[in-house]
Amino acid sequence: MSPIDRRHFLSQLSLATVAVAAGGFVSRSFDKDGFVEVELAPGKLRGVRHNGVNIFRGVPYGGKVSGDRRFRRPAPVEPWTGVRSSVFGAPSMQPPRHNEPAPAEDCLFLNVWTPANDNRKRPVMFYNHGGGFVIGSGASQSQDGSNLARNFDVVVVQTNHRLGLLGFLYLDEIAGDEYAGSGNMGMLDIVDGLKWVHENIAQFGGDPNNVMIFGESGGGAKTSCLYAMPSAAPYFNKASIESGPGVRMTPKETAAETTALLLRELNIAPKDWRKLLDVPAADLLAIQNKLPSVPPFIDKDNKEKPQPGAGGFGPVVDGKVLPIHPFDPAAPDISKNKPLLVGWNEDEYNFFIWQRKEVDLVKIDFEGLQKKLETFHGADTEKMISTYRKTMPDASAIDVLVAITSIAMMGLGSIDIAEKKVQQNGAPVYLYNFGYKSEKKILDTDYPMGTPHAMDISFKFNNEVPPKDPSQPSESFFGGSKPERFVASHHFAELWTTFARTGKPAAKDVPEWPAYNMKDRPTMRIDTKCEVINNRFKEELAMWKSIRKA
């Protein structure tokens, strides 16, 4: 069969989205102006207390990663004098971000949201932002952690970390021991953030021994990698992989080809690789933007022969930092006893129709659908369409396109992860679909967004809430304006925070969520009314498995 065009999908996604010394607790104080101070080993931090939440922004968890530290492990955090204010830190090099500091090479900052700095040992929810390994930050408005902290009594942490070629350029074979692990610097930054949490989060009211890692899209793939990384294993207890199943990552052979391609673009001989250290970061970003933005998709049915073509930057299976593919051929033994959530949104593909402004797709007929899918799926297209027309008898051609492409992008990998986790006979795994339907329309069409990629972010962070002033208009970017969305958001957030607290997702007015198993294959559909659906997409999945084996 022709492989799913995951490379094209991830390239669109990347364009669209989104060592610290241990410090003992010294002091904390609240003043009448709504500030809170904490003293760590490097110096004092001043947070802002706002609506019942203490917010600490731009906390350094690693030092310099520019200059002679480029492509290497960071320098230690430099101590500071006085009190460091709560201001978002720079995100990694990328195009400028709305309402955030200018991107910069030195970007190792994290943000903390906590109900109180009171040593209460709350569960910690450590979020990995999306953006296809090349864009994004821990300061995006949709993933603000205030409501989760306030409404569900948890501590939320998010990091900025190195992205793109600054975070994932593989130099191990040409640069020597100092640059070992260079293809995974961005992932090791996240591990440093987790280490900071382990050493410091008790001072922010969090429990260092109850940490959940989670992430959406590219952040889901980062979470998959952390689930398989020995250096991360001591610092988290459970995980959630959301609309970003990272089953396989880039083999080091392909990563080496990408490095060679970059050097040719810069007219640098491999023996002169050190010249990379002198290229301005902005120039490296410009070169990165000329190359494919993400690694080529590795066909899981043809593991020994990746698709041709280097280019793209993301985690590298280097045999050391990332010893194995996260979920191929099996779930990683290192996390056997760590509970897992995994799933996807029902209408993922609508995000990309919206983002690429492909208005004509909304009017596609079944003849056009056949031609479009044949580009990616070849001779399997007819069987694919006939299966979906049987299971969706009232669906239009665009409905079928969205259903097929959404499950191909995110669903098949999510189910693959769930099945492999079950086969491990360790901690439970829980499979979900997010299904709340937004009434907002795509572009200038009459076709609703439904449940597109990335819409889950504001819902799971409980940022779909009624405005404090009822006279003010209330509409979210993807979620629309129907008040029912507040219920769906509360369900989503309560399920996730309960999982963070106990390792089992649960919520009031939501049915008991059984762990996934190979007999019933239960899936929780998250909406205003949540329901457990056994063996969901049975006929469709049988079709997918048959064409994968062909």
Side-chain angles (χ1 to χ4, degrees):
M1 62 168 285
S2 298
I4 298 164
D5 189 19
R6 186 170 173 82
R7 178 176 188 155
H8 177 68
F9 151 64
L10 284 172
S11 68
Q12 295 298 327
L13 170 61
S14 67
L15 293 172
T17 316
V18 204
V20 180
F25 176 75
V26 179
S27 68
R28 67 180 185 272
S29 64
F30 295 84
D31 70 24
K32 58 185 174 57
D33 296 320
F35 296 110
V36 55
E37 288 187 5
V38 173
E39 186 168 350
L40 305 178
K44 289 184 179 180
L45 296 172
R46 175 176 291 146
V48 177
R49 184 159 183 83
H50 180 67
N51 289 339
V53 178
N54 296 345
I55 305 169
F56 296 84
R57 296 171 291 194
V59 181
Y61 70 90
K64 177 183 175 183
V65 289
S66 60
D68 63 349
R69 288 282 178 167
R70 181 180 283 177
F71 310 126
R72 295 173 56 202
R73 301 301 299 122
V77 174
E78 292 188 7
W80 59 85
T81 58
V83 182
R84 188 180 182 97
S85 297
S86 180
V87 179
F88 283 129
S92 183
M93 291 298 295
Q94 59 190 287
R97 297 181 60 79
H98 183 62
N99 288 336
E100 292 187 33
E105 192 164 357
D106 289 318
C107 61
L108 302 190
F109 304 98
L110 58 78
N111 311 308
V112 181
W113 293 261
T114 179
N117 293 62
D118 57 5
N119 296 315
R120 279 271 307 274
K121 291 192 174 181
R122 297 171 177 85
V124 180
M125 300 182 71
F126 185 101
Y127 187 69
N128 299 304
H129 70 72
F133 307 118
V134 294
I135 64 171
S137 88
S140 176
Q141 186 175 355
S142 65
Q143 63 200 40
D144 182 282
S146 297
N147 286 336
L148 275 187
R150 179 189 307 107
N151 298 335
F152 298 96
D153 199 35
V154 297
V155 178
V156 180
V157 180
Q158 301 180 29
T159 67
N160 295 349
H161 42 269
R162 280 175 282 183
L163 300 169
L165 68 85
L166 290 170
F168 299 101
L169 182 64
Y170 180 67
L171 296 170
D172 291 39
E173 296 174 10
I174 61 174
D177 292 344
E178 273 190 308
Y179 292 84
S182 56
N184 287 302
M185 286 297 114
M187 292 306 308
L188 288 172
D189 291 344
I190 300 174
V191 173
D192 282 347
L194 284 166
K195 183 180 179 184
W196 183 96
V197 165
H198 186 76
E199 295 171 344
N200 296 287
I201 207 64
Q203 300 163 45
F204 296 81
D207 184 353
N209 297 311
N210 190 11
V211 177
M212 170 186 172
I213 57 173
F214 67 127
E216 183 271 346
S217 194
K222 293 169 192 173
T223 303
S224 288
C225 291
L226 293 169
Y227 206 70
M229 289 173 60
S231 58
Y235 303 128
F236 73 95
N237 311 90
K238 53 189 75 74
S240 176
I241 299 166
E242 304 148 10
S243 293
V247 176
R248 294 177 59 83
M249 293 293 134
T250 304
K252 61 183 179 180
E253 295 79 9
T254 303
E257 291 178 19
T258 301
T259 301
L261 175 61
L262 174 71
L263 292 173
R264 288 195 297 271
E265 285 285 334
L266 292 167
N267 199 27
I268 296 175
K271 64 182 178 62
D272 297 325
W273 66 269
R274 282 189 176 275
K275 291 182 178 180
L276 287 170
L277 305 181
D278 300 321
V279 179
D283 292 349
L284 289 178
L285 180 63
I287 291 291
Q288 175 183 305
N289 290 339
K290 291 174 60 179
L291 302 177
S293 57
V294 296
F297 170 63
I298 308 303
D299 186 351
K300 72 183 298 295
D301 296 322
N302 192 9
K303 301 169 191 173
E304 302 303 320
K305 187 179 180 183
Q307 289 183 29
F313 299 96
V316 179
V317 184
D318 59 6
K320 297 176 183 177
V321 175
L322 184 58
I324 57 173
H325 291 287
F327 286 93
D328 191 66
D333 286 340
I334 198 168
S335 292
K336 179 178 180 178
N337 296 319
K338 296 180 178 182
L340 182 65
L341 281 170
V342 62
W344 76 99
N345 299 352
E346 288 179 349
D347 308 309
E348 299 273 1
Y349 189 56
N350 283 342
F351 172 94
F352 303 96
I353 298 174
W354 164 81
Q355 188 266 332
R356 295 195 295 257
K357 300 180 180 179
E358 293 183 337
V359 180
D360 289 344
L361 277 183
V362 173
K363 302 174 183 177
I364 199 169
D365 58 18
F366 282 102
E367 182 179 352
L369 175 64
Q370 177 84 22
K371 292 178 180 177
K372 182 170 181 62
L373 291 178
E374 279 178 348
T375 304
F376 303 132
H377 301 290
D380 297 315
T381 299
E382 188 172 342
K383 183 176 184 180
M384 201 175 288
I385 293 175
S386 65
T387 298
Y388 276 81
R389 293 195 74 175
K390 178 183 177 183
T391 59
M392 303 169 60
D394 299 324
S396 65
I398 181 60
D399 293 338
V400 172
L401 174 62
V402 170
I404 288 174
T405 311
S406 296
I407 199 169
M409 284 178 169
M410 300 297 181
L412 299 180
S414 298
I415 293 167
D416 190 21
I417 286 173
E419 290 179 348
K420 287 170 178 173
K421 183 66 179 170
V422 169
Q423 292 161 4
Q424 209 176 29
N425 294 315
V429 57
Y430 300 89
L431 184 68
Y432 76 91
N433 295 144
F434 179 44
Y436 175 81
K437 301 304 178 188
S438 170
E439 81 284 8
K440 288 194 75 171
K441 303 298 192 290
I442 296 176
L443 299 172
D444 297 321
T445 75
D446 290 327
Y447 195 74
M449 293 292 288
T451 317
H453 186 71
M455 193 177 91
D456 57 309
I457 300 173
S458 62
F459 279 74
K460 74 169 68 85
F461 276 91
N462 199 212
N463 289 332
E464 300 287 345
V465 292
K468 288 190 171 66
D469 182 352
S471 68
Q472 296 298 312
S474 171
E475 182 174 86
S476 70
F477 189 72
F478 282 142
S481 59
K482 294 187 297 184
E484 302 96 287
R485 74 184 193 279
F486 306 144
V487 177
S489 179
H490 193 278
H491 286 332
F492 210 149
E494 187 176 358
L495 287 165
W496 258 235
T497 52
T498 305
F499 180 73
R501 183 168 279 105
T502 68
K504 179 177 173 58
K508 184 180 178 181
D509 299 325
V510 171
E512 182 177 355
W513 187 345
Y516 196 74
N517 63 77
M518 302 301 287
K519 178 185 177 183
D520 299 323
R521 300 177 179 270
T523 301
M524 176 65 79
R525 184 179 184 275
I526 301 170
D527 200 337
T528 52
K529 181 179 179 181
C530 298
E531 61 178 324
V532 176
I533 304 174
N534 286 336
N535 213 357
R536 194 173 194 201
F537 306 120
K538 178 180 179 180
E539 293 182 57
E540 295 93 329
L541 291 174
M543 178 274 298
W544 282 109
K545 289 182 179 180
S546 71
I547 64 176
R548 281 183 155 191
K549 292 177 181 178

